[in-house]
Amino acid sequence: MIVSRRYFRLLVVMFSGFYLSACAGLFDAPPTVNLVEKRKTLGEFYFEPVSLNHDPLPDEGLENLRDAYVNLLDIIDDPETIKIVQYRLADLEVLLAERQQEVGVAPVDRGFYDLAIAQYQSILDRHPEQKENAEVLYQLAKAYDLQGQSQQSLQVIDTLLAKYPDTIYLAELEFRRGEILFNVQDYPGAVQAYQAVLEQGPNTDYFMTAAYMLGWSHFKIESYENALLAFTQLLDQKLPNSVIDSQMLRQLNAEQQLALLPVGEKRIVNDSIRIMALLFSYQGAEQSLKAFYENVGERHYENLLYDRLGQQFLNEDRFRDSALVYRGFTEVHPEHNQAPTFAVKQIDAYIIGKFPTFVLPAKQDFVDRYGINGPFWSHWGQLIQQDVKPYLRTYIQELAQYEHSKAQLLTKAANQPNEEQLEKVEENHQKAQVAYAQAAKLYREFIETFPHDDLTPQITFNLAESLFEAQRYQQAIEAYEIYAYQYLNEPRAAEAGYAAILAFRALRETLTDSTLQQQWQDEQLASQQQFVSRFSADPRAIDVLYDTMQQQFELKRYLLAIESAESILAWQPTVDAQRKMSGQLVIAHSEFALQQYQRAEASYEQILAALEQTDPRYNDMLERLAASIYKQAEDNLAKQYVALAIEDFLRVIAKAPSSSIRVNAQYDAASYLLEMRSWTEAISLLEDFRVRFASHPLTESIQDKLIFAYQQNQDWLPAAEELKQLWETNPDSEEGREALYIAAQYYLKAQSRDAALDTYRTYAHRYPLPFNEVTEARFQMSEFYLQSNEESKRRFWLRKLIQGDAQAGADRTDRSRYLAAMSSIVFAEDDVQAFNRVKLSLPLNKSLKKKREVLDKALASLNATLEYKIAEFSTVANFKIGEIYGQLARDLMDSERPTGLSTLELEQYDILLEEQAYPFEEQAIGIHEANIQRSWQGVYDRWVRESFAALSELLPGRYNKQEQVSEAANAIF
């Protein structure tokens, strides 16, 4: 049996028209879809087991061929052949009916397929039990259907299904049953038929249409839940999710799947979505949609249904319902790649419906969910992010501006309240802070999302403003500085830079921790320097620079302060006199603090030159000038450049004579001049100091320094006068005693005899101790009177020397012993002279007695001198003793002779005198010899020599020999 492809195409068209006509008036007609592949004809099926030629017959005219087969039936008797011919004849009748339908020429007395139906019926009648009858029934049902005899076709189909339940045409036949039953409005029967088709599985060609019609059938009987299930089966087949991993289900692009479907399938899918949306709208809209898929399981194409439902409500002017549907999807599938789009549609629905109170919260929710800080941004690819960004750009900007404007209004209400707002001042203030903070948050999100957007600089400025008003000064500073210094050619850059400085000040006022305050002051100074550098043309730049200089100076960052001050002095246009002076002062003070004293000196001189002497600052600058010079002196002293230091001290006197430091400078200059042994210059300064600064505490030490200078310069008389004054000030002190003693010495050196004598006398009488000093004073007194030939007064002091030595005890010294010996020899010489003055005369015994008395006294005095054991005076004493004995011997021999003696008596008298004189002469010789022996001990003074001379006369044989001197010449050969 041959059935052409044209037949099948026509059959599909007819069936498509059939089920679409069932929906006419409610749904748009779906496109025609060719779903049925070409199947074998009944003839092909039955000729297969027969060894016959199955090639198509030549087209010599179908009518002729048909007639030939009819005639053939009249001449053949073989049952099997007759059966084959009938199959072929039925096929030819179908082909002829198709041709007639195509050309639109209908038989006058019958239908198009009557003959074909008769042939198929005849086959069934003749061969009721043939296994091939399932195919014959199938073709017969088709023929009835093509001829529009739906009931007959339904009966044949029922017969076929009852007799052959496992037929390969089961799905198609059930589908045909469903179509026929639907058309006759037997919707429960249609449901059963379409359900039977679906039970054959999604791979059958009729699955999609059967599912679609099943859904419609349920819809007709108001079985909405089952209708939704049926349509869901259709969508599951045409928009499958098995192409990807289940974890990526929500990212599967259902729209793309739908777009790739053939036109007919696309129309069916779209209509299914439409009717499902309608059904959901009947049952609670987005809530029923959510509940349905919670029950049947999540689908990746749910967005198509939400979108259709939302659009449906929008078309019906149910704007809020539409927005709720879109919102419902975003809540159920917040991570879906279409969620942002649905959120936008929600917002648009509110806008179209004029629900302004819902718009801003929806936009805020959009930003919170789908913005860069939301939970989904980091999981999205760049394509989705790029799709979302335009909406974020608009929404963030609108929200931020709204919050910023609201905050400003609240601030105004708090700062300038009317009567109604008086009780809400604090509340409005707090609300304003919240609004500013929210605006700042949104501005920041805009910047993070669109770092390179043209609006980002302005948004950055707005961010800074809102942060400042929200008292988040640290963040405001960062934003201001980004706008001011990172973006180029922004119109409000200088304003932002200055605002950052104000924010620094405000921030520091809130800090209590000193470390943090210092840290932020450092940051502020850096910002101010950057402002001056970048915006030097701004009129506020000089104010900022001036403040920077002051802060740097207060922080003791003197190098930086100098740099800032120099910039102020070089500023164009020139700064006013006050700021110029401030800059000069900072430079001078900073140089001083940096120990750059030479520079500081020059700077202070420059300042003084600009000030009137009546200016209250003049004296202070003079003091600072003096200090800078004085410090140079101290530095030179530290380097041991004493001469240079003295010059510096003297420069203080010359340049700042009225300064308080002049006192120290003059004092130090004098002191170091003393060290340099510049006595005259030092004396001049010291004398001036004592007069000029008489009441100054340092004046107390001037006297000592003057005394020392006078001493070193050998100005003995003023030195003595100073010492005398010192003694007079405190005569009972040790210092006074010493001063008087030294004054006496200096009077002596100054050849001021009277003053010296008076001073020594006062000392000697007033201070018996210390022993050494009083001894010397007594000695000097003796010397004064020696010089003035006042022997009695001299001897007074010589006795003081002898008595002092005798009474010194442990304080006795070699010097006191020496002076006592010296004094003793004077008194001994007096006794010797007294001895020499006594002459032996007659009567000899009487004069000799007197001579003996003075002799004993002289010897006692000389021996007393010898007791001191001072070689210098011992040799004198020995010599004098020897001389006394020698003189006594001579005096005896030269004594007056008694008168009236005879020559013999005179001779005997002389012998007697010689005998008396001899022991004395021997004693004299012995004493002289003892004296000359001192020369062997290294003592060879005048008196030893005198003893030698005396011995040369007393013992000329021994001590008066002449030396013989021989000369020798040595030559070097």
Side-chain angles (χ1 to χ4, degrees):
M1 176 182 283
I2 300 173
V3 181
S4 68
R5 292 180 181 273
R6 182 174 58 185
Y7 167 79
F8 282 99
R9 287 196 298 271
L10 181 59
L11 183 65
V12 170
V13 170
M14 291 173 66
F15 270 78
S16 298
F18 171 72
Y19 66 68
L20 289 175
S21 64
C23 306
L26 186 59
F27 299 94
D28 295 333
T32 301
V33 183
N34 184 8
L35 301 176
V36 184
E37 296 179 359
K38 180 183 177 184
R39 298 183 181 277
K40 294 181 179 180
T41 66
L42 290 176
E44 291 171 332
F45 181 84
Y46 284 109
F47 277 114
E48 224 170 21
V50 182
S51 179
L52 295 174
N53 184 4
H54 293 177
D55 292 337
L57 295 174
D59 188 7
E60 295 179 357
L62 291 177
E63 291 85 351
N64 293 334
L65 186 60
R66 189 247 345 247
D67 293 341
Y69 275 109
V70 171
N71 294 331
L72 183 61
L73 286 174
D74 294 334
I75 62 175
I76 59 174
D77 297 324
D78 181 53
E80 190 65 29
T81 302
I82 291 173
K83 182 175 65 173
I84 293 171
V85 171
Q86 286 179 324
Y87 286 157
R88 183 61 61 92
L89 182 58
D91 289 342
L92 287 174
E93 290 293 352
V94 171
L95 290 175
L96 286 170
E98 287 179 351
R99 180 183 291 179
Q100 289 173 350
Q101 278 188 325
E102 286 179 359
V103 300
V105 180
V108 178
D109 55 349
R110 58 183 173 82
F112 286 107
Y113 295 92
D114 281 349
L115 294 178
I117 290 171
Q119 289 297 332
Y120 287 129
Q121 190 64 53
S122 176
I123 293 171
L124 292 172
D125 291 341
R126 290 178 180 235
H127 309 285
E129 301 301 328
Q130 289 289 331
K131 64 179 181 179
E132 295 87 355
N133 282 353
E135 184 71 20
V136 175
L137 289 171
Y138 171 76
Q139 295 295 346
L140 177 59
K142 272 188 181 180
Y144 277 126
D145 188 61
L146 290 174
Q147 188 149 286
Q149 294 176 277
S150 298
Q151 289 300 318
Q152 289 83 347
S153 177
L154 178 61
Q155 292 174 1
V156 174
I157 291 172
D158 288 341
T159 300
L160 192 156
L161 291 174
K163 195 171 183 178
Y164 304 101
D166 296 327
T167 176
I168 61 173
Y169 301 109
L170 178 61
E172 181 182 353
L173 294 172
E174 289 289 1
F175 178 77
R176 303 300 179 193
R177 288 185 73 251
E179 295 291 277
I180 295 169
L181 293 171
F182 188 91
N183 284 334
V184 298
Q185 299 183 1
D186 183 1
Y187 300 118
V191 166
Q192 293 179 354
Y194 289 130
Q195 187 63 48
V197 175
L198 297 185
E199 290 174 357
Q200 301 304 306
N203 293 327
T204 178
D205 294 334
Y206 302 96
F207 188 88
M208 179 192 74
T209 310
Y212 176 77
M213 293 308 299
L214 176 60
W216 266 108
S217 299
H218 282 301
F219 180 82
K220 290 294 186 179
I221 60 177
E222 299 183 358
S223 179
Y224 298 142
E225 189 72 17
N226 289 324
L228 290 171
L229 291 171
F231 287 125
T232 297
Q233 291 186 73
L234 184 153
L235 296 181
D236 285 347
Q237 185 204 34
K238 291 303 164 184
L239 304 175
N241 58 33
S242 59
V243 297
I244 58 171
D245 188 271
S246 59
Q247 293 182 354
M248 296 295 291
L249 177 61
R250 289 179 179 146
Q251 302 309 314
L252 183 61
N253 194 327
E255 292 87 347
Q256 187 175 5
Q257 286 182 305
L258 181 59
L260 294 175
L261 290 175
V263 176
E265 294 183 9
K266 187 188 301 182
R267 290 184 65 185
I268 292 176
V269 171
N270 279 329
D271 198 60
S272 298
I273 293 171
R274 183 178 67 86
I275 193 61
M276 290 179 76
L278 182 64
L279 291 171
F280 285 127
S281 71
Y282 293 165
Q283 304 179 72
E286 78 282 354
Q287 294 300 323
S288 64
L289 203 161
K290 174 185 176 183
F292 177 78
Y293 282 107
E294 285 178 349
N295 185 40
V296 302
E298 187 176 321
R299 298 295 195 273
H300 71 282
Y301 52 74
E302 289 178 37
N303 61 299
L304 300 177
L305 296 164
Y306 277 94
D307 190 30
R308 182 67 189 193
L309 180 57
Q311 188 62 44
Q312 177 181 318
F313 284 147
L314 202 61
N315 293 339
E316 297 170 357
D317 293 340
R318 296 170 61 181
F319 303 110
R320 188 172 182 185
D321 290 338
S322 175
L324 291 175
V325 170
Y326 290 125
R327 172 69 179 180
F329 179 80
T330 62
E331 290 180 346
V332 175
H333 303 295
E335 75 285 6
H336 197 282
N337 54 17
Q338 288 297 308
T341 303
F342 278 61
V344 171
K345 290 182 178 183
Q346 174 196 357
I347 294 167
D348 290 343
Y350 284 138
I351 294 173
I352 297 171
K354 298 181 180 180
F355 292 100
T357 56
F358 295 146
V359 173
L360 287 176
K363 289 182 177 179
Q364 183 64 60
D365 185 65
F366 183 93
V367 172
D368 292 341
R369 281 173 176 252
Y370 308 117
I372 193 170
N373 297 318
F376 311 116
W377 182 270
S378 60
H379 303 294
W380 285 340
Q382 290 187 358
L383 291 178
I384 299 178
Q385 291 177 356
Q386 292 303 317
D387 289 341
V388 173
K389 275 187 174 182
Y391 303 109
L392 287 173
R393 186 177 185 274
T394 300
Y395 296 163
I396 294 174
Q397 186 179 356
E398 292 176 356
L399 290 166
Q401 290 174 346
Y402 169 78
E403 293 291 344
H404 202 156
S405 298
K406 183 174 74 172
Q408 290 173 333
L409 292 174
L410 289 167
T411 300
K412 182 178 180 180
N415 295 335
Q416 303 173 5
N418 54 35
E419 292 183 3
E420 297 179 355
Q421 296 167 340
L422 285 174
E423 296 181 356
K424 297 183 178 181
V425 169
E426 183 60 30
E427 179 183 350
N428 286 335
H429 180 73
Q430 293 178 359
K431 288 182 178 179
Q433 294 299 304
V434 172
Y436 278 125
Q438 180 63 17
K441 176 183 177 183
L442 289 163
Y443 285 135
R444 193 181 300 281
E445 185 160 356
F446 185 98
I447 294 167
E448 293 174 356
T449 308
F450 307 101
H452 306 297
D453 192 276
D454 293 340
L455 284 177
T456 298
Q458 181 59 45
I459 294 296
T460 302
F461 183 83
N462 294 345
L463 168 63
E465 293 281 88
S466 60
L467 288 169
F468 184 89
E469 294 298 335
Q471 299 181 4
R472 298 182 180 181
Y473 299 119
Q474 182 176 345
Q475 298 173 39
I477 290 166
E478 180 182 0
Y480 277 131
E481 291 191 336
I482 289 173
Y483 179 85
Y485 304 115
Q486 292 187 17
Y487 297 119
L488 300 177
N489 304 319
E490 288 300 320
R492 305 177 73 179
E495 181 181 348
Y498 191 76
I501 296 170
L502 297 179
F504 273 114
R505 294 175 184 173
L507 173 62
R508 288 172 54 200
E509 289 178 358
T510 66
L511 300 175
T512 56
D513 183 84
S514 59
T515 302
L516 287 177
Q517 286 181 335
Q518 184 61 65
Q519 175 185 340
W520 283 107
Q521 187 174 12
D522 292 342
E523 295 288 342
Q524 178 184 342
L525 287 172
S527 182
Q528 292 185 181
Q529 289 174 312
Q530 192 172 14
F531 180 88
V532 173
S533 176
R534 177 68 67 87
F535 307 113
S536 58
D538 190 279
R540 294 166 294 191
I542 185 62
D543 297 328
V544 173
L545 179 59
Y546 185 77
D547 181 72
T548 300
M549 175 192 73
Q550 291 180 318
Q551 289 194 56
Q552 289 169 336
F553 182 76
E554 290 172 0
L555 291 171
K556 300 182 180 180
R557 298 174 184 176
Y558 299 116
L559 288 175
L560 294 175
I562 290 173
E563 183 178 345
S564 297
E566 289 174 343
S567 297
I568 289 174
L569 297 179
W571 196 264
Q572 293 297 327
T574 305
V575 298
D576 57 59
Q578 180 180 354
R579 286 185 173 175
K580 182 177 180 181
M581 178 57 67
S582 296
Q584 291 175 325
L585 287 171
V586 166
I587 290 173
H589 295 340
S590 297
E591 288 170 342
F592 187 90
L594 290 169
Q595 301 181 7
Q596 298 174 355
Y597 302 120
Q598 192 170 3
R599 291 185 177 182
E601 177 187 356
S603 297
Y604 285 126
E605 285 186 322
Q606 184 179 9
I607 293 170
L608 286 167
L611 292 175
E612 297 291 338
Q613 292 190 8
T614 56
D615 192 296
R617 296 170 292 181
Y618 186 88
N619 289 334
D620 181 52
M621 294 303 103
L622 194 66
E623 291 290 337
R624 292 179 180 274
L625 171 64
S628 62
I629 302 173
Y630 189 87
K631 286 293 184 179
Q632 294 178 59
E634 290 182 336
D635 287 347
N636 283 322
L637 288 175
K639 299 173 184 176
Q640 298 184 349
Y641 298 157
V642 179
L644 293 177
I646 293 172
E647 290 181 9
D648 293 331
F649 289 134
L650 294 176
R651 281 195 303 114
V652 172
I653 300 172
K655 291 187 176 183
S658 62
S659 66
S660 61
I661 296 177
R662 184 254 173 86
V663 177
N664 297 83
Q666 184 167 340
Y667 184 88
D668 292 342
S671 299
Y672 288 106
L673 282 169
L674 293 177
E675 286 189 11
M676 296 291 290
R677 307 179 70 81
S678 298
W679 314 118
T680 302
E681 293 87 345
I683 289 169
S684 176
L685 290 173
L686 290 169
E687 289 176 344
D688 178 81
F689 188 98
R690 182 161 61 179
V691 174
R692 188 181 299 273
F693 308 111
S695 60
H696 196 279
L698 288 175
T699 304
E700 296 178 2
S701 64
I702 293 299
Q703 190 173 53
D704 292 339
K705 292 183 178 295
L706 274 173
I707 291 170
F708 177 73
Y710 289 143
Q711 289 171 339
Q712 299 302 316
N713 203 39
Q714 298 184 0
D715 293 338
W716 305 117
L717 184 59
E721 294 293 341
E722 293 294 333
L723 288 166
K724 188 73 172 290
Q725 290 179 12
L726 180 61
W727 170 74
E728 290 173 348
T729 303
N730 196 359
D732 295 329
S733 67
E734 179 66 13
E735 182 184 24
R737 181 198 64 75
E738 290 180 356
L740 184 64
Y741 182 77
I742 298 172
Q745 292 177 321
Y746 289 169
Y747 277 129
L748 185 63
K749 288 183 178 182
Q751 298 181 358
S752 180
R753 179 184 180 280
D754 292 343
L757 187 149
D758 180 68
T759 305
Y760 272 123
R761 180 191 297 115
T762 300
Y763 185 91
H765 285 301
R766 189 176 184 114
Y767 303 108
L769 294 175
F771 175 69
N772 292 339
E773 282 79 354
V774 74
T775 299
E776 292 297 331
R778 291 165 179 168
F779 169 71
Q780 288 297 337
M781 290 301 295
S782 70
E783 290 294 299
F784 283 132
Y785 290 123
L786 174 64
Q787 294 170 5
S788 64
N789 200 26
E790 296 178 80
E791 292 297 332
S792 62
K793 293 181 179 180
R794 180 190 181 213
R795 281 161 177 73
F796 172 83
W797 293 107
L798 291 176
R799 287 191 187 92
K800 289 288 186 181
L801 288 172
I802 295 170
Q803 291 170 0
D805 180 71
Q807 297 170 1
D811 292 333
R812 189 184 190 198
T813 63
D814 291 343
R815 173 67 174 166
S816 67
R817 186 161 57 86
Y818 175 87
L819 293 176
M822 178 204 72
S823 301
S824 177
I825 198 65
V826 171
F827 287 108
E829 288 178 345
D830 289 344
D831 291 338
V832 170
Q833 289 178 5
F835 169 78
N836 290 332
R837 285 195 299 272
V838 176
K839 301 298 183 181
L840 292 177
S841 61
L842 296 175
L844 184 61
N845 59 344
K846 187 177 179 178
S847 61
L848 185 62
K849 179 181 178 181
K850 186 177 181 180
K851 189 78 169 179
R852 185 72 181 185
E853 291 176 355
V854 294
L855 172 65
D856 291 340
K857 185 177 181 181
L859 288 175
S861 297
L862 290 171
N863 284 324
T865 301
L866 289 172
E867 290 296 325
Y868 290 109
K869 298 180 181 179
I870 301 299
E872 178 181 348
F873 301 109
S874 293
T875 56
V876 176
N878 278 330
F879 176 78
K880 293 293 183 180
I881 292 172
E883 281 298 293
I884 286 175
Y885 282 119
Q887 186 64 40
L888 181 58
R890 287 192 297 272
D891 285 346
L892 283 173
M893 294 303 298
D894 293 338
S895 62
E896 184 179 1
R897 303 296 193 265
T899 61
L901 294 177
S902 63
T903 304
L904 178 62
E905 289 175 336
L906 182 60
E907 182 177 352
Q908 290 177 343
Y909 188 82
D910 288 338
I911 293 170
L912 180 63
L913 289 174
E914 286 180 0
E915 289 176 353
Q916 290 292 322
Y918 178 76
F920 294 113
E921 185 174 299
E922 286 297 319
Q923 281 186 308
I925 291 170
I927 290 172
H928 282 304
E929 284 182 336
N931 203 31
I932 67 173
Q933 287 178 0
R934 293 180 182 276
S935 63
W936 304 338
Q937 300 170 359
V939 178
Y940 188 71
D941 58 7
R942 169 191 170 190
W943 303 109
V944 172
R945 289 193 297 274
E946 291 290 340
S947 289
F948 270 114
L951 286 172
S952 66
E953 293 181 359
L954 293 172
L955 292 175
R958 181 183 298 178
Y959 293 105
N960 196 21
K961 295 180 179 179
Q962 299 295 321
E963 288 187 39
Q964 293 183 354
V965 180
S966 62
E967 296 183 358
N970 295 315
I972 299 176
F973 299 93

